[in-house]
Protein backbone atom coordinates (compact mmCIF):
# COMPACT_ATOMS: atom_id res chain seq x y z
CA UNK A 1 0.00 0.00 0.00
CA UNK A 2 1.24 3.45 -0.74
CA UNK A 3 2.55 5.29 2.26
CA UNK A 4 -0.01 7.75 3.74
CA UNK A 5 0.73 11.30 2.87
CA UNK A 6 1.69 13.34 5.95
CA UNK A 7 -0.65 16.25 6.67
CA UNK A 8 1.13 19.55 6.25
CA UNK A 9 0.90 22.10 9.09
CA UNK A 10 1.01 25.82 8.71
CA UNK A 11 3.97 27.86 9.95
CA UNK A 12 1.79 29.28 12.76
CA UNK A 13 0.85 25.80 13.94
CA UNK A 14 4.46 24.65 13.84
CA UNK A 15 5.62 27.69 15.81
CA UNK A 16 2.85 27.36 18.41
CA UNK A 17 3.63 23.68 18.89
CA UNK A 18 7.26 24.52 19.52
CA UNK A 19 6.45 27.34 21.94
CA UNK A 20 3.95 25.15 23.78
CA UNK A 21 6.67 22.64 24.55
CA UNK A 22 9.03 25.40 25.64
CA UNK A 23 6.38 26.99 27.92
CA UNK A 24 5.24 23.75 29.49
CA UNK A 25 7.84 23.67 32.28
CA UNK A 26 7.53 27.38 33.28
CA UNK A 27 3.74 27.02 33.37
CA UNK A 28 4.03 24.03 35.70
CA UNK A 29 6.32 26.06 37.98
CA UNK A 30 3.95 29.04 38.02
CA UNK A 31 0.97 26.79 38.78
CA UNK A 32 2.87 25.19 41.65
CA UNK A 33 3.81 28.58 43.07
CA UNK A 34 0.18 29.73 42.84
CA UNK A 35 -0.94 26.69 44.82
CA UNK A 36 1.72 27.31 47.47
CA UNK A 37 0.74 30.97 47.79
CA UNK A 38 -2.95 30.01 48.05
CA UNK A 39 -2.14 27.47 50.78
CA UNK A 40 -0.13 30.07 52.70
CA UNK A 41 -2.92 32.65 52.44
CA UNK A 42 -5.60 30.20 53.54
CA UNK A 43 -3.41 28.93 56.37
CA UNK A 44 -2.81 32.49 57.50
CA UNK A 45 -6.54 33.27 57.55
CA UNK A 46 -7.30 30.04 59.43
CA UNK A 47 -4.56 30.73 61.96
CA UNK A 48 -5.73 34.31 62.42
CA UNK A 49 -9.38 33.35 62.93
CA UNK A 50 -9.02 30.07 64.81
CA UNK A 51 -5.92 30.72 66.85
CA UNK A 52 -5.63 34.51 66.96
CA UNK A 53 -2.28 34.56 65.18
CA UNK A 54 -1.73 38.10 63.86
CA UNK A 55 2.00 38.69 64.10
CA UNK A 56 1.72 40.88 67.21
CA UNK A 57 3.83 39.86 70.18
CA UNK A 58 2.22 39.19 73.54
CA UNK A 59 4.51 41.78 75.13
CA UNK A 60 3.14 44.42 72.75
CA UNK A 61 -0.45 43.40 73.47
CA UNK A 62 0.17 43.66 77.22
CA UNK A 63 1.55 47.18 76.81
CA UNK A 64 -1.36 48.25 74.60
CA UNK A 65 -4.09 46.77 76.83
CA UNK A 66 -2.72 48.39 79.99
CA UNK A 67 -2.68 51.79 78.32
CA UNK A 68 -6.18 51.23 76.91
CA UNK A 69 -7.51 50.06 80.28
CA UNK A 70 -6.12 53.18 81.99
CA UNK A 71 -7.85 55.35 79.39
CA UNK A 72 -11.13 53.43 79.72
CA UNK A 73 -11.12 53.73 83.51
CA UNK A 74 -10.33 57.45 83.51
CA UNK A 75 -13.01 58.13 80.89
CA UNK A 76 -15.63 55.94 82.55
CA UNK A 77 -15.04 57.20 86.08
CA UNK A 78 -14.62 60.92 85.42
CA UNK A 79 -16.23 61.47 82.02
CA UNK A 80 -12.97 62.41 80.31
CA UNK A 81 -9.37 61.36 79.74
CA UNK A 82 -6.29 63.28 78.62
CA UNK A 83 -4.69 60.30 76.85
CA UNK A 84 -4.17 60.41 73.08
CA UNK A 85 -5.83 57.02 72.44
CA UNK A 86 -9.21 58.04 73.89
CA UNK A 87 -11.27 57.86 70.70
CA UNK A 88 -9.90 54.46 69.65
CA UNK A 89 -10.69 52.96 73.07
CA UNK A 90 -14.12 54.36 73.96
CA UNK A 91 -15.45 55.44 70.53
CA UNK A 92 -17.49 58.17 72.23
CA UNK A 93 -16.85 61.90 72.56
CA UNK A 94 -16.37 63.53 75.95
CA UNK A 95 -19.29 65.88 75.31
CA UNK A 96 -21.69 63.06 74.46
CA UNK A 97 -20.64 60.89 77.39
CA UNK A 98 -20.98 63.73 79.91
CA UNK A 99 -24.38 64.64 78.44
CA UNK A 100 -25.54 61.05 78.93
CA UNK A 101 -24.32 61.04 82.53
CA UNK A 102 -26.14 64.32 83.26
CA UNK A 103 -29.31 63.00 81.62
CA UNK A 104 -29.16 59.80 83.71
CA UNK A 105 -28.77 61.86 86.89
CA UNK A 106 -31.79 64.00 86.04
CA UNK A 107 -33.92 60.95 85.26
CA UNK A 108 -32.90 59.33 88.54
CA UNK A 109 -33.77 62.47 90.51
CA UNK A 110 -37.16 62.93 88.84
CA UNK A 111 -38.16 59.27 89.02
CA UNK A 112 -37.41 59.17 92.73
CA UNK A 113 -40.09 61.58 93.99
CA UNK A 114 -42.44 64.13 92.46
CA UNK A 115 -41.23 67.71 92.18
CA UNK A 116 -43.30 70.84 91.55
CA UNK A 117 -42.84 72.67 88.25
CA UNK A 118 -42.19 75.98 90.02
CA UNK A 119 -42.35 77.64 93.43
CA UNK A 120 -41.49 80.92 95.12
CA UNK A 121 -39.74 80.75 98.48
CA UNK A 122 -38.20 83.60 100.49
CA UNK A 123 -38.62 85.92 97.54
CA UNK A 124 -36.88 83.61 95.09
CA UNK A 125 -38.70 81.83 92.27
CA UNK A 126 -37.46 78.34 91.40
CA UNK A 127 -38.17 76.56 88.09
CA UNK A 128 -38.01 72.78 87.95
CA UNK A 129 -36.03 72.63 84.69
CA UNK A 130 -33.28 74.98 85.84
CA UNK A 131 -33.12 73.46 89.34
CA UNK A 132 -32.74 69.92 87.98
CA UNK A 133 -30.11 71.05 85.49
CA UNK A 134 -28.12 72.79 88.24
CA UNK A 135 -28.34 69.81 90.60
CA UNK A 136 -27.31 67.29 87.93
CA UNK A 137 -24.40 69.57 87.04
CA UNK A 138 -23.21 69.50 90.67
CA UNK A 139 -23.32 65.69 90.60
CA UNK A 140 -21.49 65.64 87.27
CA UNK A 141 -18.76 67.97 88.54
CA UNK A 142 -18.38 65.71 91.56
CA UNK A 143 -18.00 62.65 89.33
CA UNK A 144 -15.34 64.43 87.31
CA UNK A 145 -12.97 64.50 90.25
CA UNK A 146 -10.00 62.17 89.81
CA UNK A 147 -10.59 58.79 91.36
CA UNK A 148 -7.88 56.61 92.92
CA UNK A 149 -7.70 53.32 91.01
CA UNK A 150 -5.11 50.72 90.07
CA UNK A 151 -5.05 47.77 87.67
CA UNK A 152 -4.35 44.51 89.49
CA UNK A 153 -4.55 41.71 86.88
CA UNK A 154 -4.88 41.28 83.11
CA UNK A 155 -5.99 38.00 81.50
CA UNK A 156 -6.29 37.16 77.79
CA UNK A 157 -8.45 34.66 75.91
CA UNK A 158 -7.31 32.86 72.75
CA UNK A 159 -8.56 35.74 70.61
CA UNK A 160 -6.49 38.22 72.70
CA UNK A 161 -9.55 39.89 74.24
CA UNK A 162 -8.62 40.98 77.75
CA UNK A 163 -10.29 40.90 81.15
CA UNK A 164 -8.85 43.61 83.37
CA UNK A 165 -9.42 43.58 87.12
CA UNK A 166 -8.97 46.85 88.97
CA UNK A 167 -9.39 48.41 92.40
CA UNK A 168 -11.12 51.77 92.81
CA UNK A 169 -12.02 54.14 95.66
CA UNK A 170 -15.72 55.03 95.11
CA UNK A 171 -17.26 58.41 95.80
CA UNK A 172 -20.14 58.23 98.30
CA UNK A 173 -22.68 60.58 96.69
CA UNK A 174 -25.52 59.75 99.13
CA UNK A 175 -23.25 60.63 102.07
CA UNK A 176 -22.25 63.87 100.40
CA UNK A 177 -25.85 64.78 99.69
CA UNK A 178 -26.78 63.99 103.30
CA UNK A 179 -24.22 66.52 104.52
CA UNK A 180 -25.56 69.19 102.19
CA UNK A 181 -29.16 68.27 103.02
CA UNK A 182 -28.44 68.76 106.71
CA UNK A 183 -27.23 72.29 106.00
CA UNK A 184 -30.29 72.98 103.80
CA UNK A 185 -32.70 71.76 106.51
CA UNK A 186 -31.11 74.20 108.95
CA UNK A 187 -31.61 77.06 106.49
CA UNK A 188 -35.23 76.16 105.79
CA UNK A 189 -35.98 76.08 109.54
CA UNK A 190 -35.00 79.71 109.70
CA UNK A 191 -38.07 80.43 107.58
CA UNK A 192 -40.27 77.64 108.87
CA UNK A 193 -43.48 79.65 108.59
CA UNK A 194 -43.06 80.07 104.81
CA UNK A 195 -41.97 76.45 104.38
CA UNK A 196 -45.08 75.18 106.17
CA UNK A 197 -47.27 76.75 103.47
CA UNK A 198 -45.65 74.70 100.68
CA UNK A 199 -46.82 71.34 99.38
CA UNK A 200 -44.44 68.36 99.56
CA UNK A 201 -43.67 68.71 95.85
CA UNK A 202 -42.95 72.45 96.21
CA UNK A 203 -40.81 71.95 99.31
CA UNK A 204 -38.84 69.26 97.51
CA UNK A 205 -38.11 71.66 94.66
CA UNK A 206 -36.86 74.25 97.15
CA UNK A 207 -34.65 71.64 98.82
CA UNK A 208 -33.17 70.52 95.48
CA UNK A 209 -32.44 74.14 94.56
CA UNK A 210 -30.74 74.83 97.87
CA UNK A 211 -28.74 71.61 97.67
CA UNK A 212 -27.44 72.66 94.25
CA UNK A 213 -26.65 76.19 95.46
CA UNK A 214 -24.79 75.04 98.59
CA UNK A 215 -23.11 71.87 97.30
CA UNK A 216 -19.62 73.33 96.94
CA UNK A 217 -19.94 75.48 100.05
CA UNK A 218 -20.67 72.48 102.31
CA UNK A 219 -18.43 69.82 100.80
CA UNK A 220 -15.55 72.19 100.04
CA UNK A 221 -13.72 69.55 97.94
CA UNK A 222 -13.94 67.07 100.82
CA UNK A 223 -15.95 64.35 99.15
CA UNK A 224 -17.00 61.32 101.21
CA UNK A 225 -15.69 58.00 99.92
CA UNK A 226 -16.45 54.38 100.70
CA UNK A 227 -14.26 51.29 101.00
CA UNK A 228 -12.31 50.11 97.95
CA UNK A 229 -14.22 48.15 95.34
CA UNK A 230 -12.86 45.38 93.07
CA UNK A 231 -14.30 45.19 89.55
CA UNK A 232 -13.51 43.57 86.19
CA UNK A 233 -14.01 44.90 82.68
CA UNK A 234 -13.54 43.33 79.24
CA UNK A 235 -11.57 45.00 76.46
CA UNK A 236 -12.13 43.73 72.92
CA UNK A 237 -9.13 43.18 70.68
CA UNK A 238 -8.69 44.16 67.05
CA UNK A 239 -5.96 45.24 64.64
CA UNK A 240 -6.19 48.40 62.58
CA UNK A 241 -3.61 49.09 59.88
CA UNK A 242 -1.66 46.14 61.31
CA UNK A 243 -1.54 47.78 64.74
CA UNK A 244 -3.20 46.26 67.85
CA UNK A 245 -6.05 48.14 69.53
CA UNK A 246 -8.41 47.51 72.45
CA UNK A 247 -11.94 48.88 72.75
CA UNK A 248 -14.74 48.81 75.31
CA UNK A 249 -18.50 48.71 74.75
CA UNK A 250 -21.06 51.23 75.99
CA UNK A 251 -22.25 48.75 78.64
CA UNK A 252 -18.69 48.41 79.94
CA UNK A 253 -18.42 52.19 80.14
CA UNK A 254 -21.57 52.30 82.28
CA UNK A 255 -20.22 49.54 84.51
CA UNK A 256 -17.02 51.54 85.07
CA UNK A 257 -19.05 54.60 86.02
CA UNK A 258 -21.10 52.59 88.53
CA UNK A 259 -18.00 50.99 90.03
CA UNK A 260 -16.77 54.44 91.03
CA UNK A 261 -19.90 55.14 93.07
CA UNK A 262 -20.77 53.78 96.49
CA UNK A 263 -23.71 51.35 96.66
Amino acid sequence: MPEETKQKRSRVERNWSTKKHRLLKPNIILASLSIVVMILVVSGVVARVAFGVDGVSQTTRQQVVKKAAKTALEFGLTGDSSTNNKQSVVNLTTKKWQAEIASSIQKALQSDQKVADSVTFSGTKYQKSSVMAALSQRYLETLQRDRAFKITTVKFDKYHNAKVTYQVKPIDLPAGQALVQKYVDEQIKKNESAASKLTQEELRLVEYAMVANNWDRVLNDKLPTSSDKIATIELLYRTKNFKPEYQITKDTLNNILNSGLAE
Side-chain angles (χ1 to χ4, degrees):
M1 295 182 65
E3 184 179 352
E4 293 183 3
T5 303
K6 293 184 180 179
Q7 186 176 5
K8 292 183 177 180
R9 294 185 296 174
S10 68
R11 184 178 297 175
V12 173
E13 289 177 318
R14 290 198 304 273
N15 287 340
W16 171 244
S17 177
T18 303
K19 288 181 180 179
K20 185 166 65 175
H21 287 295
R22 287 204 307 266
L23 291 173
L24 183 60
K25 189 172 182 179
N27 283 344
I28 292 174
I29 294 173
L30 288 174
S32 300
L33 286 175
S34 298
I35 293 172
V36 171
V37 171
M38 186 179 297
I39 291 173
L40 290 174
V41 170
V42 172
S43 299
V45 172
V46 171
R48 186 182 181 89
V49 174
F51 304 105
V53 177
D54 58 2
V56 179
S57 70
Q58 186 66 7
T59 300
T60 299
R61 276 191 287 267
Q62 288 175 342
Q63 293 172 346
V64 173
V65 77
K66 286 181 179 179
K67 184 178 179 181
K70 182 176 181 292
T71 298
L73 291 172
E74 285 182 352
F75 194 85
L77 291 169
T78 68
D80 197 8
S81 175
S82 59
T83 56
N84 57 12
N85 63 337
K86 177 171 59 180
Q87 291 304 312
S88 65
V89 175
V90 299
N91 197 27
L92 191 68
T93 65
T94 299
K95 185 177 180 180
K96 187 174 181 180
W97 175 233
Q98 291 183 0
E100 290 190 15
I101 296 174
S103 177
S104 297
I105 292 171
Q106 287 197 44
K107 287 180 180 178
L109 289 171
Q110 295 184 48
S111 63
D112 185 21
Q113 294 175 315
K114 290 184 178 181
V115 180
D117 292 329
S118 65
V119 65
T120 299
F121 180 75
S122 293
T124 302
K125 186 174 182 178
Y126 300 104
Q127 296 286 345
K128 177 180 176 180
S129 58
S130 58
V131 168
M132 289 304 185
L135 186 56
S136 64
Q137 183 63 27
R138 293 296 177 272
Y139 277 114
L140 180 58
E141 290 170 357
T142 301
L143 294 177
Q144 289 174 323
R145 309 291 177 87
D146 288 339
R147 222 71 50 82
F149 69 84
K150 65 177 180 179
I151 296 171
T152 56
T153 60
V154 179
K155 295 182 180 179
F156 298 90
D157 63 16
K158 66 178 182 179
Y159 302 110
H160 311 307
N161 299 316
K163 286 190 176 182
V164 176
T165 301
Y166 63 98
Q167 180 177 313
V168 62
K169 173 71 73 174
I171 289 176
D172 196 338
L173 279 178
Q177 183 169 342
L179 292 175
V180 182
Q181 184 68 50
K182 181 180 179 181
Y183 174 83
V184 169
D185 290 341
E186 292 172 352
Q187 299 305 307
I188 290 177
K189 280 184 180 180
K190 294 178 180 179
N191 200 351
E192 194 168 359
S193 60
S196 63
K197 298 175 182 178
L198 302 178
T199 65
Q200 286 296 321
E201 290 79 5
E202 290 172 336
L203 182 58
R204 192 166 294 118
L205 180 60
V206 171
E207 289 177 345
Y208 282 171
M210 295 182 71
V211 165
N213 292 338
N214 293 282
W215 187 269
D216 293 334
R217 181 205 304 269
V218 175
L219 296 180
N220 194 24
D221 292 333
K222 296 177 182 178
L223 300 173
T225 58
S226 62
S227 57
D228 289 353
K229 186 185 295 185
I230 304 295
T232 300
I233 56 172
E234 183 177 21
L235 287 92
L236 305 177
Y237 180 74
R238 71 169 185 170
T239 54
K240 184 178 181 181
N241 298 328
F242 303 103
K243 294 182 179 180
E245 287 186 349
Y246 280 92
Q247 288 185 323
I248 60 171
T249 64
K250 182 69 174 301
D251 286 341
T252 299
L253 199 59
N254 284 320
N255 291 338
I256 294 173
L257 175 63
N258 291 331
S259 72
L261 300 173
E263 298 294 341

